[in-house]
């Protein structure tokens, strides 16, 4: 017998551990892998059987489809989008002339890098969009203001304002590039009903007798399908079967209601008016002023146009919707300028604070910037739209064969422009989880796989919703000591550079938590 | 020299070398070893019953040479219905599955020179899952494109596996048989990759089992085994912690003396003409309730080896 085979074996074992172990697959690396067909030899799935059915072809639904078609592990999956919106049939870029739509979204750098990864950002650059690198926030008391600059965190821009229809169109264009059979992928109908797989597969209670075992091999395909796949009934009479249904159908989600998922939340006693206005020159800053009844925001959308999001009580909203355009413009300029309170002045307190905190950390550029008055709106060029605001959060994002993304799972206050960015974060996370599942051969409708998506996103979404809700409540009360507290918060955010950088990093999606970086 | 090797393995090694020298065999009965209690229902901590008088383990006997212990098989038969209940007694296995599969995927892709970013990297390969149970491992392997055969000694397990796999067209093609590795060797079947996870700690004769696995592998094919290390940490976590305290597994599922250390596994596989190329450990994160691969092989570990191509292995007859 060889001397010390045990020791030799032990040495062999320990040397094995120093070899490179399998690195986790980075799902978004687009290598040109061999496009394997989706069916195993001999077993062809029917035309009505899908892997993923996305109900809702809005921004977030299209983002999920685009992400799945872009990743090597998931691009072979049979995906369908169910939405009757005729815009899904368009081809080509939207023209830049014409009035910018009032429905716009501010996309954060985190979302921009997601769009770059899935290849849709280049299409947005060909259509109307507006980067901005500066932001100013103040309130009606005139006691303080905060300016943010992208240079504070060494970035070129804080975000980009894009019309919602441009976002949708860019995602659609990318999908058209990836999939030749895009016509078959989009079902221009509505979902009527859903039937989820029966529970009998989870732990067969009692062993089957031999006779039923013979049956199971000769089961009708209908019974087999119902035990494994979700059944979707569409309004044009078609029936589809899918391993996974993704509910991306907005805040009044049909899918969520059919699945019986409960939600928590409350309506805010506020509505938002949105419209597009024109300036003399280009606007390059995002402005937000907190008024007693709600914030008014002025966001650049490109050329000389800006988008207004004005939150106020529902009564005031219906009043402002019905006034003449000139009256409305006057009240907008009044609200942004001297209305309800004075401009913040640079007082000796400010200069003192600036000197005191300039030693802490690297000084951010915007601590030196003075208060500026926003540009005047000279023309109202779109219709005014009003819609109510509410906070909503689903108790569950997933169940067997089902996942909710975007507004279907959560809605937040628009005061920080985060809503759709949370939705895109959901889309990216869900696509990654599906890709991980495919890499280990899992059933993509499996609850334990989908729960990973839920765990990841729930924490982030709840945190953001709580922060925004906190802001909304803090700014809705006109109470002396609270006003001073808010002023102190403004001063802190303006002059304490590390705090300012933390806030910016959280808002642009670079860090997951507002406090601990 | 061999003092770190378990007595059972030491005896098995001694008997195999003795055979080569033509010396008479020592007594095969493992009377010294505390034996497994019968079924999971017997969760008492009283004195274990005397060991079953199995057939004498000398060469030549046809079907009597088996590395299976009927008592061990019975342990799993009683909870067979709960295989696919991801919250039931097999929850730890379900939780561990993604980590095991990522190791298998990574090593087999490298071994067979497959594209790791393909959705079906194991297309065209014949795999066998020895000790497949309810098919928890076989189904994902089939979804990765492999032609899978799953075998288990428990008839109830095979029935459950068959029924569950039938509902998905991708997994309906898995061939399930209620048989043992030794029987398949007699049928001269061979596979590109032989996978046997969490089985070797339940067999009576680990060396024989390794030889059977080796015989089932084509020359230059891959063999993957996983088991629990026989260490104090494993005793504390996998047996005391998992079975007695947290009640994640039925009491008696694992017996410390039957656990195999990595060194012993490498030795046994070497004797079976398989050279172990990679080994990885698993660690459990109680906060995320997930398993991940790691360098720590002190509790759970998985090993991948390549069957040598020159000398085809033979079962010691």
């Amino acid at each position: 017998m060889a001397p010390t085979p045990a020791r030799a074996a032990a040495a062999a074992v320990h040397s094995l551990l120093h070899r490179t172990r399998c690195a986790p697959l980075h799902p978004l690396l687009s290598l040109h892998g061999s496009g394997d067909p989706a069916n195993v030899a001999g077993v062809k799935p029917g035309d009505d059987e899908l892997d993923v059915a996305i109900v809702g072809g809005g921004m977030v639904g299209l983002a999920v489809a685009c992400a799945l078609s872009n990743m090597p592990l998931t691009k072979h999956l049979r995906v369908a989008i169910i939405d009757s919106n005729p815009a899904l049939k368009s081809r080509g870029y939207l023209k830049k002339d014409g009035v910018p739509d009032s429905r716009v979204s501010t996309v954060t750098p985190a979302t921009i890098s997601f769009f770059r990864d899935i290849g849709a950002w280049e299409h947005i650059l060909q259509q109307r969009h507006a980067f901005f690198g500066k932001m100013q926030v103040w309130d009606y008391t005139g006691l303080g203001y905060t300016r943010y600059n992208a240079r504070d965190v060494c970035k070129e821009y804080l975000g980009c304002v894009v019309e919602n229809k441009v976002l949708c169109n860019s995602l659609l264009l990318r999908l058209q590039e990836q999939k030749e059979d895009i016509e078959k992928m989009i079902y221009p109908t509505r979902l009527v009903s859903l039937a989820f797989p029966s529970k009998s597969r989870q732990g067969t209670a009692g062993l089957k007798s031999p006779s039923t075992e013979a049956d199971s091999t000769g089961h009708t395909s209908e019974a087999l399908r119902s035990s494994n796949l979700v059944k979707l009934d569409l309004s044009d009479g078609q029936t589809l079967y899918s391993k996974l249904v993704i509910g991306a159908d907005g805040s009044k989600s049909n899918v969520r209601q059919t699945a019986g998922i409960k939600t928590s939340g409350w309506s805010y006693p506020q509505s938002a008016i949105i419209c597009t206005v024109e300036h003399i020159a280009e606007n390059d800053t995002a402005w937000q002023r907190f008024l007693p009844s709600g914030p008014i925001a002025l966001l650049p959308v490109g050329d000389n146009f800006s988008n207004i999001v004005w939150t106020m009580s529902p009564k005031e909203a219906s009043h402002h919707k019905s006034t003449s355009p000139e009256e409305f413009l006057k009240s907008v300029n009044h609200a942004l300028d001297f209305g309800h309170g004075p401009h913040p002045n640079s007082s000796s307190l400010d200069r003192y604070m600036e000197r005191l905190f300039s030693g802490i950390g690297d000084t951010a550029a915007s601590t030196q910037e003075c208060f500026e008055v926003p540009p005047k709106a000279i023309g109202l060029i779109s219709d005014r739209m009003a819609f109510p605001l509410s906070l909503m959060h689903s108790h569950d994002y997933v169940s067997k064969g089902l996942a909710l993304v975007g507004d279907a799972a959560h809605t937040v206050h628009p005061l920080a422009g985060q809503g759709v960015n949370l939705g895109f974060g959901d889309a990216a996370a869900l696509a990654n989880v599906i890709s991980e599942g495919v890499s280990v051969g899992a059933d993509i409708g499996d609850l334990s796989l989908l729960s990973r998506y839920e765990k990841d996103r729930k924490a982030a979404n709840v945190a953001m919703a709580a922060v925004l809700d906190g802001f909304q409540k803090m700014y809705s009360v006109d109470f002396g000591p609270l006003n001073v507290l808010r002023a102190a918060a403004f001063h802190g955010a303006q002059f304490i550079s590390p705090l300012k950088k933390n806030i910016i990093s959280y808002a642009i999606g670079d860090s997951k938590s507002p406090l601990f970086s | 020299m061999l003092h770190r090797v378990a007595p059972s393995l030491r005896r098995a090694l001694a008997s195999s070398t003795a055979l080569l020298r033509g010396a008479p065999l020592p007594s095969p009965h493992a009377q010294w070893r505390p034996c497994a209690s019968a079924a999971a229902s017997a969760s008492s901590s009283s004195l274990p019953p005397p060991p079953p008088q199995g057939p004498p383990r000398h060469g030549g006997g046809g079907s009597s040479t088996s590395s299976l212990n009927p008592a061990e098989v019975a342990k799993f038969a009683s909870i067979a219905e709960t295989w696919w209940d991801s919250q039931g007694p097999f929850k730890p296995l379900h939780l561990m599955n993604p980590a095991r599969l990522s190791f298998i995927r990574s090593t087999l892709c490298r071994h067979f020179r497959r594209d790791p970013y393909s959705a079906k990297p194991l297309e065209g390969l014949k795999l066998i899952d020895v000790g497949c149970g309810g098919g928890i491992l076989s189904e994902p392997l089939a979804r990765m494109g492999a032609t899978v055969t799953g075998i288990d000694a428990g008839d109830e397990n095979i029935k459950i596996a068959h029924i569950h796999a039938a509902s998905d067209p991708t997994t309906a093609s898995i061939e399930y048989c209620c048989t043992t590795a030794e029987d398949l060797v007699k049928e001269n079947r061979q596979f590109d990759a032989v996978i046997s996870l969490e089985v070797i700690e339940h067999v009576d004769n680990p060396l024989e089992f390794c030889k059977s696995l080796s015989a089932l592998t084509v020359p230059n094919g891959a063999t993957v085994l996983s088991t629990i290390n026989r260490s104090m940490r494993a005793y504390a976590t996998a047996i005391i912690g998992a079975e007695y305290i947290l009640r994640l597994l039925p009491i008696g599922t694992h017996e410390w003396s039957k656990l195999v250390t990595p060194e012993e596994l490498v030795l046994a596989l070497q004797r079976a003409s398989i050279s172990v190329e990679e080994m990885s450990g698993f660690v459990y994160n109680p906060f995320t309730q997930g398993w991940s691969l790691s360098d720590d092989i002190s509790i759970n570990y998985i090993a991948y080896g390549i069957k040598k191509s020159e000398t085809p292995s033979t079962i010691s007859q």
Side-chain angles (χ1 to χ4, degrees), chain A residues 13-282:
Chain A
V13 161
H14 289 293
S15 74
L16 284 175
L17 295 176
H18 292 293
R19 297 196 199 184
T20 47
R21 270 186 296 108
C22 36
L25 296 179
H26 180 34
L28 286 178
L29 257 178
S30 45
L31 276 189
H32 299 292
S34 52
D36 286 304
N39 34 4
V40 180
V43 184
K44 254 190 161 59
D47 271 341
D48 56 348
E49 279 185 31
L50 307 160
D51 293 312
V52 181
I54 303 175
V55 180
M59 296 185 278
V60 181
L62 285 173
V64 179
C66 215
L68 287 176
S69 76
N70 213 62
M71 291 196 274
L73 284 168
T74 53
K75 59 180 180 208
H76 69 286
L77 291 178
R78 291 184 312 273
V79 179
I81 302 175
I82 298 167
D83 195 318
S84 51
N85 187 351
L88 289 173
K89 296 235 176 280
S90 90
R91 305 251 167 195
Y93 291 126
L94 297 176
K95 302 257 186 332
K96 278 199 207 177
D97 49 5
V99 169
D101 203 26
S102 334
R103 308 211 68 163
V104 304
S105 300
T106 315
V107 289
T108 58
T111 301
I112 294 174
S113 61
F114 168 59
F115 268 66
R116 281 214 180 93
D117 285 337
I118 63 179
W121 188 250
E122 55 195 46
H123 296 299
I124 293 191
L125 294 176
Q126 303 292 327
Q127 301 172 86
R128 181 166 24 221
H129 63 281
F131 285 101
F132 62 93
K134 293 188 278 193
M135 189 160 145
Q136 178 173 292
V137 185
W138 72 112
D139 70 352
Y140 63 94
T141 58
L143 293 175
Y145 71 96
T146 310
R147 283 190 71 91
Y148 298 107
N149 195 316
R151 304 237 170 269
D152 297 343
V153 287
C154 309
K155 294 250 176 2
E156 280 175 27
Y157 47 81
L158 287 174
C160 186
V161 183
V162 191
E163 293 157 79
N164 290 356
K165 64 183 190 196
V166 169
L167 284 167
C168 282
N169 196 45
S170 308
L171 291 163
L172 187 64
L173 284 170
R174 178 60 178 161
L175 258 183
Q176 285 164 359
E177 279 175 12
Q178 300 269 27
K179 302 241 179 217
E180 279 128 26
D181 57 343
I182 183 113
E183 310 292 345
K184 289 208 291 188
M185 208 172 120
I186 300 183
Y187 289 78
T189 63
R190 286 185 311 106
L191 179 72
V192 169
S193 71
L194 278 178
F196 286 99
S198 44
K199 286 264 194 285
S200 61
R201 249 169 56 109
Q202 308 261 30
T204 45
L207 292 172
K208 309 260 174 167
S209 60
S211 58
T212 20
E213 198 197 316
D215 281 351
S216 73
T217 49
H219 255 165
T220 57
S221 48
E222 186 65 41
L224 277 178
R225 286 199 235 185
S226 69
S227 70
N228 195 26
L229 304 172
V230 186
K231 184 166 152 213
L232 299 101
D233 290 310
L234 305 179
S235 62
D236 64 355
Q238 286 184 78
T239 305
L240 295 175
Y241 295 90
S242 178
K243 287 194 187 137
L244 174 65
V245 171
I246 298 182
D249 46 348
S251 52
K252 297 186 189 52
S253 168
N254 195 1
V255 171
R256 186 190 69 226
Q257 284 164 13
T258 315
I261 294 181
K262 299 201 180 24
T263 63
S264 294
W266 44 85
S267 309
Y268 289 117
Q270 290 172 325
S271 297
I273 290 190
I274 55 174
C275 63
T276 315
V277 297
E278 197 177 0
H279 303 290
I280 306 171
E282 201 173 338

Side-chain angles (χ1 to χ4, degrees), chain B residues 32-285:
Chain B
W32 62 274
R33 197 176 53 198
C35 191
S37 54
S41 53
S43 56
S44 62
S45 53
S46 55
L47 276 175
Q53 300 295 308
R57 244 198 347 259
H58 49 259
S63 55
S64 60
T65 343
S66 163
S67 46
L68 281 177
N69 182 335
E72 296 275 356
V73 175
K75 268 188 214 165
F76 288 99
S78 57
I79 43 172
E81 305 96 76
T82 55
W83 268 106
W84 285 99
D85 180 7
S86 55
Q87 305 300 317
F90 289 107
K91 180 172 174 181
L93 222 51
H94 281 274
L95 288 177
M96 214 194 290
N97 220 21
R100 316 191 294 182
L101 282 161
S102 74
F103 180 87
I104 293 174
R105 183 199 171 94
S106 160
T107 48
L108 291 188
C109 277
R110 231 171 302 132
H111 181 91
F112 293 106
R113 307 272 197 278
R114 297 297 172 100
D115 175 15
Y117 288 99
S118 154
K120 290 192 187 261
L122 306 179
E123 191 101 38
L125 293 174
K126 287 203 318 246
L127 262 59
I128 181 169
D129 181 7
V130 178
C132 62
I136 293 182
L137 186 74
S138 309
E139 288 195 14
L141 291 174
R143 284 198 198 98
M144 286 200 245
T147 311
V148 182
T149 304
I151 66 168
D152 197 276
D155 195 40
E156 295 82 2
N157 298 335
I158 292 293
K159 284 207 194 100
I160 297 287
H162 208 271
I163 292 168
H164 192 267
S167 46
D168 183 351
T170 337
T171 55
S173 53
I174 300 177
E175 179 198 350
Y176 283 116
C177 306
C178 178
T179 174
T180 64
E182 289 79 14
D183 288 339
L184 271 193
V185 171
K186 292 199 191 81
E187 291 174 34
N188 286 322
R189 291 194 61 177
Q190 289 205 313
F191 299 86
D192 298 309
V194 171
I195 307 186
S196 180
L197 305 189
E198 312 294 319
V199 175
I200 194 167
E201 69 261 28
H202 296 285
V203 302
D204 266 344
N205 191 340
L207 193 64
E208 289 302 318
F209 183 64
C210 288
K211 293 211 164 117
S212 307
L213 293 184
S214 175
L216 287 172
T217 320
V218 300
N220 280 326
T223 311
V224 183
L225 280 97
S226 90
T227 185
I228 303 180
N229 196 344
R230 192 182 66 251
S231 63
M232 289 321 296
R233 278 189 70 191
Y235 186 67
T237 25
I239 298 182
I240 302 287
E243 293 178 17
Y244 288 89
I245 300 180
L246 296 175
R247 309 266 162 170
L248 293 172
L249 299 169
I251 290 180
T253 306
H254 292 118
E255 254 192 272
W256 194 72
S257 58
K258 289 179 84 166
L259 300 180
V260 179
T261 65
E263 295 83 2
E264 289 162 9
L265 186 65
V266 170
L267 262 180
L269 287 172
Q270 251 174 30
R271 299 247 163 203
S273 319
I274 293 176
S275 82
V276 176
E277 300 291 316
E278 280 189 48
M279 191 178 286
S280 174
F282 292 109
V283 286
Y284 180 62
N285 182 341

Side-chain angles (χ1 to χ4, degrees), chain A residues 404-422:
Chain A
L404 297 175
V405 289
D407 277 0
H410 45 77
T411 65
V412 295
H413 200 279
L415 65 84
Q418 294 292 335
V420 82
N421 293 296
L422 295 179

Side-chain angles (χ1 to χ4, degrees), chain A residues 325-460:
Chain A
E326 296 78 27
E327 275 284 326
F328 181 71
L329 267 184
K330 251 179 61 179
S331 44
V332 160
N333 287 322
H334 185 69
L336 285 171
D337 206 344
F338 275 108
H340 308 272
H343 290 166
N345 294 336
S346 260
S347 66
S348 51
L349 173 66
D350 292 345
R351 285 192 282 279
Y352 172 68
M353 275 197 79
E354 194 184 326
R355 268 204 310 276
L356 180 66
F357 289 109
S358 61
I360 300 176
D362 295 325
T363 308
S366 54
T367 53
Q368 320 276 347
E369 288 173 16
C370 293
F371 174 81
E372 282 178 28
V373 181
K376 268 198 161 33
I378 56 168
L380 176 69
I381 56 170
S382 80
D383 289 330
R384 288 156 272 174
M385 291 196 253
F387 50 91
L389 302 176
S390 63
L391 170 75
M392 183 274 288
H393 198 259
S394 294
H395 289 186
D396 305 301
Y397 288 9
V398 299
S399 76
K400 173 145 174 58
L402 168 74
L404 297 175
V405 289
D407 277 0
H410 45 77
T411 65
V412 295
H413 200 279
L415 65 84
Q418 294 292 335
V420 82
N421 293 296
L422 295 179
F424 287 130
D426 291 350
L430 183 60
N432 281 345
V433 160
I434 294 177
S435 175
E436 279 170 21
V438 169
S439 80
V440 288
D443 174 12
I444 55 176
D446 187 32
L447 184 57
S448 52
L449 177 72
L450 296 173
S451 298
R452 271 191 263 159
Y453 152 71
E454 182 182 42
K455 240 186 279 193
D456 183 16
R457 289 307 297 171
K458 232 190 206 175

